């Protein structure tokens, strides 16, 4: 497990070592804040690109718009910090999906070896930066009804593990499993298009070894689980 999570708040990110092949860097932030990394949220339109501004405008409530804008502003501020270039000049694209070949795969920086991943849940966002393809995910503990709805969509062994747990422990275990699975699927760029069966990531407190991945759990806020996966 990565023990240290950097916190991004109102002030610019503090200088620190860049990610290395063996050490990704993870940042967290509260998405309800009004100033991120030295930039007020009202100035986000000068930094986000057209696609990001349009996506933010599609949300139906101000709270969701604010969370999206804050997390994507934070992503650009952190990328600018490590790339040493203005945040508004950073070009973000998507790789082709490994499954269908369409350009909705892993987000990337064209021609740059820095990889990144963003996840948000409720008022929390996590951002990972690495020198290899990376995926990060944070999940709030689901309701018992959600556990019931998703139970048989998982890998058969994960389903078995969950059904053997007492009911009150199942939401935490499912959130742990879901965060790990999302992190792995983000790292490969396949997403949820092929369902939730593979890869097997377990619901147990310790993640399994997954060929081609390095998977680790992350410290998370109360009632949340988080995970990080890099490709090896």
């Amino acid at each position: 497990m990565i023990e240290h999570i950097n916190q991004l708040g109102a002030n610019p990110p503090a200088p620190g070592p860049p990610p290395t092949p063996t050490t990704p860097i993870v940042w967290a932030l509260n998405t309800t804040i009004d100033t991120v990394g030295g930039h007020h949220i009202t100035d986000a339109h000068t930094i986000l690109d057209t696609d990001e501004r349009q996506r933010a405008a599609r949300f139906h409530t101000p709270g969701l718009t604010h969370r999206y804008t804050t997390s994507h502003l934070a992503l650009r501020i952190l990328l600018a910090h490590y790339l040493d270039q203005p945040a508004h000049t950073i070009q973000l694209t998507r790789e082709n999906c490994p499954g269908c070949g369409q350009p909705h795969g892993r987000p990337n920086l064209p021609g740059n070896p820095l990889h990144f991943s963003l996840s948000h849940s409720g008022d929390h966002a996590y951002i990972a930066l690495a020198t290899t393809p990376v995926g990060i995910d944070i999940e709030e503990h689901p309701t018992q009804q959600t556990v019931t709805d998703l139970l048989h969509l998982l890998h058969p062994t994960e389903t078995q593990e969950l059904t053997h747990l007492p009911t009150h422990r199942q939401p935490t275990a499912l959130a742990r499993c879901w965060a790990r699975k999302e992190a792995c699927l983000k790292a490969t760029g396949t997403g949820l298009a092929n369902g939730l069966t593979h890869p097997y990531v377990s619901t147990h407190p310790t993640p399994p070894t997954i060929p081609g991945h390095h998977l680790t759990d992350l410290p998370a806020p109360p009632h949340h689980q988080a995970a990080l996966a890099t490709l090896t």
Side-chain angles (χ1 to χ4, degrees), residues 4-204:
H4 179 67
I5 304 292
N6 300 284
Q7 298 295 321
L8 181 62
N11 296 322
T20 71
T22 57
T23 311
I25 292 177
V26 178
W27 288 81
L29 72 148
N30 183 320
T31 58
T32 66
I33 60 178
D34 293 321
T35 302
V36 184
H39 297 269
H40 197 274
I41 197 70
T42 55
D43 297 327
H45 67 282
T46 66
I47 297 175
L48 302 184
D49 64 20
T50 301
D51 182 64
E52 289 168 317
R53 294 196 299 271
Q54 290 177 345
R55 285 177 179 269
R58 293 191 193 116
F59 290 103
H60 297 297
T61 67
L64 292 177
T65 299
H66 187 97
R67 289 167 179 163
Y68 176 91
T69 303
T70 302
S71 60
H72 282 258
L73 178 60
L75 172 63
R76 285 186 168 271
I77 289 168
L78 291 172
L79 291 174
H81 175 70
Y82 289 103
L83 297 175
D84 193 25
Q85 72 178 82
H88 72 278
T89 66
I90 295 172
Q91 182 184 5
L92 304 178
T93 62
R94 284 191 175 271
E95 300 175 358
N96 291 335
C97 171
C100 68
Q102 296 300 309
H104 57 75
R106 187 171 47 227
N108 73 342
L109 299 160
N112 194 287
L114 185 65
H115 298 263
F116 65 91
S117 182
L118 164 67
S119 177
H120 44 83
S121 178
D123 294 340
H124 304 283
Y126 275 28
I127 296 170
L129 302 115
T131 57
T132 58
V134 63
I136 197 167
D137 195 60
I138 177 171
E139 295 289 337
E140 189 172 5
H141 292 179
T143 64
Q144 190 60 47
Q145 183 60 52
T146 300
V147 174
T148 302
D149 293 342
L150 297 179
L151 190 61
H152 297 290
L153 299 179
L154 304 173
H155 188 281
T157 303
E158 294 162 351
T159 299
Q160 185 179 51
E161 292 167 359
L162 280 170
T163 55
H164 287 168
L165 286 174
T167 302
H168 70 277
R169 291 177 55 192
Q170 290 178 356
T172 299
L174 177 60
R176 181 188 296 129
C177 176
W178 191 281
R180 291 173 182 171
K181 203 169 293 266
E182 280 266 28
C184 289
L185 295 175
K186 286 181 178 180
T188 59
T190 56
L192 298 175
N194 296 323
L196 295 170
T197 305
H198 298 289
Y200 166 71
V201 296
S202 177
T203 66
H204 295 317

Side-chain angles (χ1 to χ4, degrees), residues 214-226:
H214 179 72
L215 175 63
T216 182
D217 292 336
L218 298 173
H223 309 296
H224 289 75
Q225 302 291 321

